[in-house]
Amino acid sequence: MGVETDVIIVGAGPTGLMLAGELRLAGVRALVLERHPQPRPTPKASGLGGRILDVLHYRGLLGRLEAAAEGGYPPPRFPFGGVHLDLTGLADPPMRALSIAQHAVERMLGEHADALGAEIRRGHEVTGLSQDDSTVTADVRGPDGDYRVTARYLVGCDGGRSPIRAMAGIDFPGTTFSEVNRLAQVTIPESVTILPNGDLEIPGNGTVRSGFTRTEHGMFAVAAHGGILYLQSTEDDPADYDSDDPLTMAELGASIRRVLGFDLPLGEPSRLSRYVFQDRQAENYRAGRVFLAGDAAHLFPATGTALNCGLSDTVNLAWKLAAAVQGWAPASLLDTYHTERHYAGARARLQTRAQVALRRGGDPAAEALRDVLTELLTDDPAAHRLGALVGATDLRYPTPETHPLTGTFAPNLTLHTDPDIVTVAELMHTSRPVLLDFADRPELREVAERWPLRVDVFTAKTDNPPADALLIRPDAYIAWAADFAEPAETAASGFHRALSTWFGAPMTH
């Protein structure tokens, strides 16, 4: 059977749609199969934060998301396991968050993928798959009956209960926690007064503290911003809820009453969602020609991480799949997806597991731990370090290269040529690798000439250059850097090695 498309993507959530757009930028055919006939209205994530905002900026997509974001950028204060991570006092906060509903993100990414030529089929469920040395075939049940489609690769972006993961035989070990979390965004009712310190004054029931309130029945969190109350109740609940059943205001109100001991006046909702925390990670993100991304690959036991991590998976994976489809990928390139993104997922699990320990403890020792952490986080270096961990802005992929910049995200430098000025972000809109030569080093440009269609060369000046030269991958991470005044022969040899490692054999000799 012939190949009908290059990559099948199972799941048309934000992760699948982002992957489709990235593949199309790289010139690869992408077919998205989604079992639901229409986008689901159930609210999920309510924002994007950390490194993924930089990635979206580098793709030229952030402005469109900002235009659709009703909440904009709230002050950088984030919940962390029952304490506050307050970055507002930092001159350069290591993370920020854009308040935007997941359905708005999904809609924009879908429009982007569609405009680039991705094919999106809704109401098409993958019921089986098989693979051989050169292709993968999906059995599909569509509105007009069953059929098969064959591709070079298939990526499961089909959520935490991923059928693709099960079909591929990939284990998903971890823990499901007993707490049920209910989140809401509601307008502030007239009867509730927001005090100058952010606390809520409730008629007949006194004051509810802004932030976290822990009771013997659970935990309640609240914050007010822009005329909206952001609420969360957390309690042990033995009921088995279907994740597709929407949360109602009655259920939310009853949960708040159980936790706080009284009714809280609530305005009109703009978001209602319910979820149970899980801490799981696929043992491998790849099984032959089948890959996993997003919730299919990892679930985290705290909010504010899953969507950001899932979108970052796709930016790492897409250019590597494109290289394999186009025939120039080095033999080990696809395996680096698991190496790098499993490591990133483990870093995300590290901070979210720490939040579990902080939030679940109810004895005096746990209270002391939260108090000590709160005190430590008043120090700028501690707050900056934890904020970078939460936002994944400290991520450095494992790399054999010794230069401290390799494996890190490329800074958005302003580049000067005569007469043009451009930024690194603008160069990355096309998702192509680029060599930035800051020191006018002809030996590097001579090496790059052997990869003429794979790497763009840009000679420019920048204020305070971080190195003599940077080789930036399509996902905007640095593959190689030349030390200042590094001998020409040494620099050329290291550059040649890096190009071969990431972009295959030279095209000319």
Side-chain angles (χ1 to χ4, degrees):
M1 181 179 293
V3 173
E4 298 161 74
T5 190
D6 293 323
V7 180
I8 297 169
I9 301 167
V10 183
T15 299
L17 295 171
M18 181 78 179
L19 178 59
E22 287 289 297
L23 289 169
R24 290 301 302 139
L25 275 178
V28 169
R29 295 175 296 168
L31 169 63
V32 182
L33 301 175
E34 167 58 55
R35 67 185 181 93
H36 293 280
Q38 299 294 333
R40 287 174 292 173
T42 305
K44 292 187 177 180
S46 59
L48 297 167
R51 180 61 76 204
I52 192 60
L53 293 177
D54 300 318
V55 172
L56 292 165
H57 176 49
Y58 279 33
R59 286 295 186 264
L61 299 175
L62 185 57
R64 293 164 63 180
L65 288 169
E66 289 173 335
E70 297 180 358
Y73 291 98
R77 299 186 186 95
F78 307 100
F80 189 84
V83 301
H84 277 301
L85 175 58
D86 191 341
L87 308 178
T88 56
L90 300 182
D92 184 22
M95 73 168 290
R96 56 179 179 154
L98 178 66
S99 182
I100 182 171
Q102 179 168 318
H103 66 80
V105 176
E106 189 172 314
R107 181 177 62 250
M108 191 283 292
L109 292 176
E111 292 170 351
H112 175 65
D114 182 69
L116 290 172
E119 182 180 358
I120 303 171
R121 299 179 188 174
R122 297 187 182 273
H124 293 250
E125 180 178 5
V126 175
T127 58
L129 62 84
S130 59
Q131 58 176 311
D132 56 30
D133 290 342
S134 59
T135 62
V136 58
T137 299
D139 299 315
V140 186
R141 179 179 300 121
D144 299 322
D146 295 346
Y147 65 97
R148 285 185 166 183
V149 60
T150 300
R152 295 286 302 280
Y153 299 97
L154 182 146
V155 185
C157 302
D158 52 340
R161 298 182 180 181
S162 171
I164 295 301
R165 186 182 60 238
M167 293 176 197
I170 299 175
D171 289 337
F172 198 45
T175 302
T176 299
F177 294 94
S178 59
E179 305 115 318
V180 174
N181 301 270
R182 296 173 175 90
L183 271 71
Q185 295 174 9
V186 301
T187 57
I188 302 173
E190 292 183 1
S191 60
V192 173
T193 301
I194 308 299
L195 301 177
N197 65 355
D199 292 348
L200 278 61
E201 187 174 310
I202 311 300
N205 288 295
T207 300
V208 174
R209 186 178 61 184
S210 176
F212 299 94
T213 298
R214 188 178 299 272
T215 75
E216 60 180 319
H217 302 292
M219 189 169 67
F220 177 73
V222 64
H225 174 70
I228 298 294
L229 286 181
Y230 298 80
L231 311 168
Q232 178 178 348
S233 71
T234 301
E235 57 178 334
D236 282 339
D237 190 336
D240 185 16
Y241 295 96
D242 187 330
S243 60
D244 287 334
D245 288 341
L247 174 67
T248 65
M249 288 293 286
E251 181 187 331
L252 172 67
S255 176
I256 295 173
R257 186 185 314 117
R258 288 191 296 270
V259 173
L260 291 180
F262 56 84
D263 288 317
L264 181 71
L266 301 173
E268 292 298 315
S270 56
R271 179 195 178 189
L272 292 170
S273 62
R274 178 203 320 104
Y275 60 90
V276 174
F277 280 129
Q278 296 194 57
D279 172 25
R280 298 183 182 276
Q281 188 172 24
E283 289 193 343
N284 204 306
Y285 287 12
R286 178 188 185 187
R289 292 182 171 271
V290 177
F291 295 79
L292 302 176
D295 288 355
H298 42 65
L299 294 171
F300 305 112
T303 58
T305 298
L307 181 56
N308 304 317
C309 194
L311 295 179
S312 297
D313 290 342
T314 70
V315 181
N316 184 287
L317 177 60
W319 71 273
K320 298 172 182 179
L321 286 175
V325 168
Q326 293 161 359
W328 55 263
S332 63
L333 185 63
L334 288 179
D335 287 335
T336 67
Y337 170 65
H338 168 81
T339 301
E340 294 182 339
R341 292 311 300 168
H342 198 275
Y343 173 77
R347 294 284 292 171
R349 289 181 80 191
L350 176 67
Q351 57 95 358
T352 53
R353 282 172 157 178
Q355 294 193 52
V356 172
L358 285 168
R359 75 167 183 260
R360 287 174 65 87
D363 62 9
E367 289 289 351
L369 177 61
R370 287 187 286 268
D371 289 344
V372 168
L373 182 60
T374 297
E375 187 171 325
L376 289 174
L377 290 176
T378 61
D379 294 338
D380 287 359
H384 193 283
R385 184 159 187 168
L386 186 57
L389 175 61
V390 172
T393 53
D394 67 344
L395 179 65
R396 183 188 183 195
Y397 287 134
T399 173
E401 301 288 342
T402 58
H403 196 287
L405 289 174
T406 56
T408 68
F409 193 78
N412 190 23
L413 304 171
T414 299
L415 310 173
H416 301 270
T417 62
D418 189 16
D420 299 321
I421 297 176
V422 69
T423 64
V424 169
E426 291 171 315
L427 291 182
M428 301 310 297
H429 283 4
T430 58
S431 181
R432 285 184 53 79
V434 61
L435 171 69
L436 297 181
D437 177 10
F438 300 124
D440 193 17
R441 302 196 61 156
E443 76 276 9
L444 300 181
R445 297 194 298 276
E446 182 178 345
V447 172
E449 288 174 358
R450 300 178 65 184
W451 283 263
L453 301 179
R454 295 185 199 151
V455 179
D456 297 332
V457 178
F458 198 83
T459 302
K461 298 294 183 181
T462 189
D463 297 333
N464 302 312
D468 269 5
L470 299 175
L471 175 62
I472 304 175
R473 307 184 325 188
D475 58 357
Y477 278 81
I478 297 171
W480 173 84
D483 280 326
F484 294 110
E486 185 175 353
E489 183 177 349
T490 304
S493 175
F495 184 41
H496 189 285
R497 181 182 64 250
L499 287 170
S500 300
T501 297
W502 294 106
F503 305 114
M507 301 176 67
T508 62
H509 298 279

